[in-house]
Amino acid sequence: MSSIDHHLNLFPPLIHVGHAEQFIQSGKTLLSAQSPLNQSYAVFPSARKDVPSIKASGVEEQPIFFASSETLPSSERRLFIGDTSIIFAALQNLTNTAQSRGQEWLHSQETHNVIRKLTLDYVNFTRECWIHTSQTSVQSQGSSQFSGDHYRSLYTCLALFAVLYVPEYGYEDAPVGDDLMEWLNVHFIEPSTEEGDHLSGLDRPWEDETFWPYLVRVTLRGLSKAATFFLATLSTHPSDNLRRLAQRLSPLLQSQPHLQSFEAERDFAYASHRWKDMVKALRIELDSVSESDRHDGIENWWDRLSDIVGILEGRSEVIRRVCEDLGADWREISVSWGVFADARLRRQDLPEVVSQVLDDMPQDPTNLEDMVHAALFSGDPAKALSHAAQLDPWLAAHMADLMQALSLIEKDANEDSGLNVRDFYVLRYAQYLHADPALWRITVAYMFSCGGIGARSADEVLMHVPLKLRFVGSIIHGQGEQNGADSLKSGDLAGVVKDINATCYEYQREEVRRTICRIAAQTFVQEKEYGLALSYSSSAEDWPGLGRVVDRVLQEYITAGPEQFTRYVAGIAPSLQALRMQSDAQGIFIHRLMFAVRYAEFHQRLGNQDLQDAAWDLVSMFQGGLTPKSWWAVLLCDSQQLLQHDAILLFPYASACILLQHLEEVIARTDQGSGDEYLRVLISKLGSGGTTEALHALQGVRLALAKYFAKCTTIGTGGKQILERKFTAVV
């Protein structure tokens, strides 16, 4: 992450090469606005304030470029992010449980063991990713987004954090030297295996210039097996004194006490004291060697052997000088101190030692891994997080999460930002994730763990997740993805919206869920997928929105005709029964839906030449009060062809009277100035004729009714001679 450039390149270029001066002379400058949620920017040209504005003859379109300082995670990085997010979620469950069970439980042995296990899971995941990326980088010639060395840095930092801050329960105050030496030998291998192989293949290895540096280094690193192996090769050395001293030194190296070999620290301390006495005895014997026998003609073996004994004695000046001669850094000096100079060095005492070492041999300020190590060694978790954030926001976020669970950092929020240390770094990481829209699920999981500010950020992310609903229509009307299409046709929430709904339920963000459903409903209305739009409006409990969906379906009758209208209603009709059973559904909008369904049934019967039932449907919509007043005139015009049917009188006399009553009310109220309320839909259906054309159409209905009543009188029909039919809505 530290390699990110401090400039962004726009593609296609906003200003082409060689045209910068021309752009400046045009009186424009570049402005930018940063997203509040991530490191993305909107960049656009704008007129400079110091240049007089020039009135353009027309409206000039100004391009807006979107750029981000964050690199989208690659496939291997996404896998790493996804796998480690599972560990993060497990730790959140633990801390949430602690809130209900109290802080004492959080500091119990049971909880500590779980936190240690999760920490080691992080360590293992970074190790696996390091190995995998290193192998992949070699095979793909370095095409990976992050090098294997980057993940190796994460691995060393987390492993050191585990050693220093998450030891086994009960070992917090135990000596730390051996654990640190193991960490150093695992992550910073010295001397190399190649050096050992080279020396082991020689008959007289002590004549090689790398022999004694190698022997001193393996002693300093506590690699007793390698040290005793090469000490054994000195059995053929021409110096009797060296052969004898090497033979005495080998068992000392093999018998050096280590804490893990003892059940009690007291026993370890006693064994260390006795071992130091044997080292002192060897020093006396070494000092007794005459000056004339300390050089074998190739090397002053006595000085080299004295350095090894000085290391075992724990002489700080010898350890420092030897480390400098070998090119070792501050880490090796600090760790060797805890193994040889002070075998009982504890974690809380380590920062004082490291401080002295860093005064003489400071860490590399250009190496972020080195800076993180130094801060962890120095007992400064806050500074470690600061450097870790520059190395990789992933590292800072997850270390901060662990640190808060271990009470290593302040939990109180900063007055200015409203965030505590942990939430600051976790949200920063979440902002990095937000650069990739595909990672929205993981992004909001981190955000929701950061209190109110994080929850509000997560709400914004959820409400801006691309719903990918535009292709739904093609799926429904195509042959592929049949299962998905069936689910969508039935009105079930599906795809991304289904996932967002589940996330909102999980984090109890009901308002956000309803907002997203409303957005989905609007999208489906634009795609004319009215059945889905109705389902999403219902899920959002957006009853006015549901009414608008029904209005759009009814509008299809006006614009596309009864056949297309009937097909659209077929998509929304299955929702009617469920909506009528919802106690919180507002009746006025359900009433409107019922009208749309009944009116579609009327046109379906009309198209099928089932004229008798069509007539009954028409009258029942008036009798049941289903028909909105704005649609009365349309239904009355629909009745005209039924009234003019010659083969049979389709309406009972009483039903014809109902039609006449509604017709008279429409005409009378129009005369009184309420024409818009009664004629709006009919005017829209007829086109540009306005009120005059609508009234003319209604006069045609009145004439048809007059003739119908005349027929009834002529053939003696009407009244009780016609059997009335009870009308029931078919839904």
Side-chain angles (χ1 to χ4, degrees):
M1 304 303 297
S2 59
S3 62
I4 291 178
D5 293 335
H6 294 287
H7 69 276
L8 297 172
N9 295 320
L10 300 179
F11 183 82
L14 194 154
I15 304 173
H16 291 276
V17 177
H19 291 75
E21 188 64 28
Q22 181 181 349
F23 179 80
I24 295 173
Q25 292 177 358
S26 69
K28 294 180 181 178
T29 186
L30 288 181
L31 299 179
S32 65
Q34 183 179 354
S35 167
L37 292 177
N38 55 38
Q39 297 298 313
S40 62
Y41 299 82
V43 183
F44 51 92
S46 177
R48 297 207 313 269
K49 294 182 179 179
D50 59 337
V51 177
S53 61
I54 301 175
K55 294 184 178 180
S57 57
V59 178
E60 182 182 0
E61 291 187 359
Q62 297 289 356
I64 299 177
F65 291 76
F66 294 94
S68 176
S69 60
E70 301 284 8
T71 303
L72 291 182
S74 60
S75 56
E76 123 270 333
R77 178 70 169 181
R78 283 179 179 174
L79 181 63
F80 175 74
I81 289 170
D83 288 344
T84 52
S85 70
I86 298 173
I87 307 173
F88 176 83
L91 185 57
Q92 296 316 298
N93 290 334
L94 184 74
T95 54
N96 291 338
T97 303
Q99 293 178 359
S100 59
R101 301 183 63 173
Q103 290 299 310
E104 292 184 2
W105 181 80
L106 186 60
H107 296 98
S108 66
Q109 179 177 355
E110 175 189 358
T111 307
H112 181 89
N113 290 341
V114 175
I115 295 176
R116 175 174 168 78
K117 190 265 182 189
L118 295 176
T119 304
L120 295 179
D121 285 344
Y122 281 132
V123 174
N124 292 332
F125 265 111
T126 52
R127 177 180 178 274
E128 290 176 7
C129 199
W130 163 49
I131 294 172
H132 172 75
T133 307
S134 299
Q135 295 171 346
T136 304
S137 297
V138 172
Q139 295 170 1
S140 60
Q141 300 182 348
S143 63
S144 296
Q145 185 176 18
F146 291 94
S147 65
D149 190 61
H150 178 81
Y151 287 106
R152 183 202 58 77
S153 297
L154 303 185
Y155 176 35
T156 64
C157 293
L158 279 170
L160 178 61
F161 174 75
V163 169
L164 291 177
Y165 297 94
V166 204
E168 291 186 29
Y169 188 80
Y171 283 79
E172 296 86 353
D173 295 328
V176 73
D178 287 341
D179 291 339
L180 285 174
M181 183 62 77
E182 181 181 359
W183 171 81
L184 188 67
N185 285 330
V186 167
H187 298 282
F188 301 92
I189 300 174
E190 289 290 348
S192 67
T193 304
E194 291 76 14
E195 291 178 75
D197 293 341
H198 167 70
L199 292 172
S200 62
L202 301 176
D203 293 333
R204 299 164 66 87
W206 61 83
E207 295 180 354
D208 191 278
E209 63 179 3
T210 63
F211 175 78
W212 284 106
Y214 181 89
L215 189 58
V216 172
R217 195 64 172 269
V218 293
T219 302
L220 191 68
R221 287 298 190 99
L223 303 174
S224 58
K225 289 184 178 180
T228 54
F229 173 82
F230 285 103
L231 284 173
T233 65
L234 295 174
S235 61
T236 58
H237 194 278
S239 172
D240 292 337
N241 284 322
L242 179 55
R243 292 198 303 270
R244 174 175 50 81
L245 290 169
Q247 191 175 8
R248 290 283 308 278
L249 180 58
S250 289
L252 272 178
L253 293 174
Q254 292 176 331
S255 62
Q256 182 180 4
H258 298 285
L259 179 62
Q260 57 264 35
S261 302
F262 298 88
E263 294 184 0
E265 185 184 344
R266 181 181 57 185
D267 298 334
F268 166 71
Y270 178 71
S272 297
H273 181 73
R274 291 187 59 188
W275 183 78
K276 286 285 188 180
D277 289 341
M278 290 188 286
V279 174
K280 289 179 182 178
L282 180 61
R283 165 61 69 182
I284 294 172
E285 191 172 347
L286 179 64
D287 289 343
S288 66
V289 176
S290 63
E291 291 285 343
S292 60
D293 196 26
R294 294 183 179 184
H295 202 287
D296 59 5
I298 300 174
E299 182 81 35
N300 188 327
W301 62 262
W302 190 93
D303 285 346
R304 298 293 194 175
L305 205 62
S306 178
D307 285 344
I308 292 176
V309 175
I311 291 171
L312 300 183
E313 289 175 311
R315 295 186 180 183
S316 59
E317 70 280 2
V318 173
I319 293 174
R320 289 188 182 221
R321 176 175 54 78
V322 166
C323 286
E324 291 176 0
D325 293 343
L326 294 173
D329 60 12
W330 63 270
R331 280 176 294 236
E332 198 152 356
I333 298 176
S334 302
V335 173
S336 300
W337 185 293
V339 174
F340 299 107
D342 184 4
R344 300 186 70 182
L345 180 69
R346 304 179 190 282
R347 287 170 174 81
Q348 59 265 35
D349 302 324
L350 181 63
E352 183 178 352
V353 173
V354 173
S355 175
Q356 298 175 14
V357 174
L358 290 175
D359 287 341
D360 298 331
M361 189 180 289
Q363 67 273 36
D364 181 1
T366 65
N367 187 324
L368 291 172
E369 177 188 7
D370 204 37
M371 297 298 287
V372 174
H373 291 171
L376 291 174
F377 267 93
S378 301
D380 193 342
K383 185 178 291 185
L385 291 176
S386 176
H387 295 307
Q390 299 177 61
L391 177 61
D392 193 326
W394 177 92
L395 178 63
H398 294 85
M399 279 181 55
D401 194 34
L402 290 166
M403 286 179 179
Q404 179 160 302
L406 295 165
S407 300
L408 297 174
I409 53 178
E410 290 290 334
K411 294 184 179 181
D412 295 334
N414 180 279
E415 292 184 0
D416 295 329
S417 67
L419 298 169
N420 60 28
V421 176
R422 180 259 180 204
D423 291 352
F424 173 79
Y425 287 108
V426 172
L427 274 180
R428 187 172 177 180
Y429 173 61
Q431 290 169 354
Y432 158 71
L433 295 178
H434 186 49
D436 187 351
L439 296 175
W440 66 265
R441 298 168 184 81
I442 298 176
T443 301
V444 299
Y446 282 89
M447 287 181 170
F448 277 126
S449 72
C450 298
I453 294 177
R456 289 191 290 273
S457 298
D459 289 347
E460 290 298 320
V461 172
L462 287 172
M463 286 191 289
H464 291 86
V465 173
L467 300 181
K468 300 179 181 179
L469 301 174
R470 297 289 180 184
F471 66 95
V472 167
S474 61
I475 291 178
I476 291 178
H477 301 301
Q479 298 299 319
E481 303 287 346
Q482 190 60 43
N483 291 337
D486 291 343
S487 176
L488 289 168
K489 281 183 177 180
S490 67
D492 293 339
L493 300 182
V496 176
V497 184
K498 183 176 182 180
D499 293 339
I500 296 176
N501 267 267
T503 301
C504 291
Y505 278 125
E506 180 181 355
Y507 295 105
Q508 300 178 358
R509 313 303 292 178
E510 180 61 18
E511 284 303 316
V512 176
R513 186 194 69 80
R514 293 185 180 186
T515 300
I516 292 167
C517 284
R518 285 195 293 269
I519 294 171
Q522 293 168 8
T523 304
F524 281 124
V525 167
Q526 295 170 6
E527 295 297 304
K528 297 189 176 182
E529 294 294 342
Y530 298 115
L532 293 172
L534 205 68
S535 293
Y536 282 99
S537 296
S538 173
S539 180
E541 298 184 11
D542 178 18
W543 309 122
L546 184 145
R548 288 190 292 271
V549 173
V550 177
D551 287 342
R552 282 293 298 269
V553 175
L554 290 170
Q555 185 64 28
E556 293 292 344
Y557 172 77
I558 306 299
T559 57
E563 185 176 347
Q564 188 66 34
F565 166 69
T566 302
R567 282 200 293 268
Y568 284 132
V569 171
I572 67 173
S575 302
L576 179 56
Q577 188 64 31
L579 288 170
R580 293 177 69 180
M581 296 178 65
Q582 281 189 238
S583 58
D584 53 351
Q586 296 187 20
I588 183 174
F589 303 111
I590 306 304
H591 205 70
R592 197 179 305 171
L593 175 59
M594 291 172 64
F595 165 70
V597 173
R598 290 296 303 278
Y599 192 48
E601 289 176 350
F602 162 74
H603 277 288
Q604 188 173 19
R605 291 192 170 104
L606 204 61
N608 295 335
Q609 293 300 306
D610 186 3
L611 302 182
Q612 185 70 74
D613 285 342
W616 287 333
D617 277 346
L618 187 66
V619 175
S620 69
M621 284 187 282
F622 281 119
Q623 282 186 317
L626 281 178
T627 308
K629 290 182 179 180
S630 59
W631 281 82
W632 282 11
V634 176
L635 267 67
L636 288 169
C637 288
D638 288 336
S639 71
Q640 185 171 351
Q641 62 174 310
L642 298 175
L643 291 168
Q644 294 173 342
H645 184 66
D646 295 329
I648 185 176
L649 295 177
L650 299 175
F651 295 99
Y653 183 85
S655 297
C657 291
I658 292 174
L659 296 177
L660 180 60
Q661 291 170 2
H662 285 79
L663 176 63
E664 293 299 331
E665 181 175 342
V666 171
I667 294 175
R669 297 303 293 271
T670 300
D671 291 341
Q672 295 170 5
S674 300
D676 185 63
E677 181 183 357
Y678 285 85
L679 299 180
R680 183 178 69 252
V681 178
L682 180 60
I683 292 172
S684 178
K685 180 176 182 293
L686 294 176
S688 59
T691 304
T692 301
E693 186 177 356
L695 289 174
H696 180 73
L698 291 177
Q699 289 299 332
V701 177
R702 172 178 280 177
L703 179 59
L705 275 170
K707 291 180 179 180
Y708 190 85
F709 283 120
K711 286 182 183 180
C712 290
T713 304
T714 302
I715 65 175
T717 188
K720 297 182 179 180
Q721 297 175 2
I722 301 293
L723 294 176
E724 293 287 354
R725 174 174 175 174
K726 293 182 179 179
F727 298 96
T728 56
V730 180
V731 295

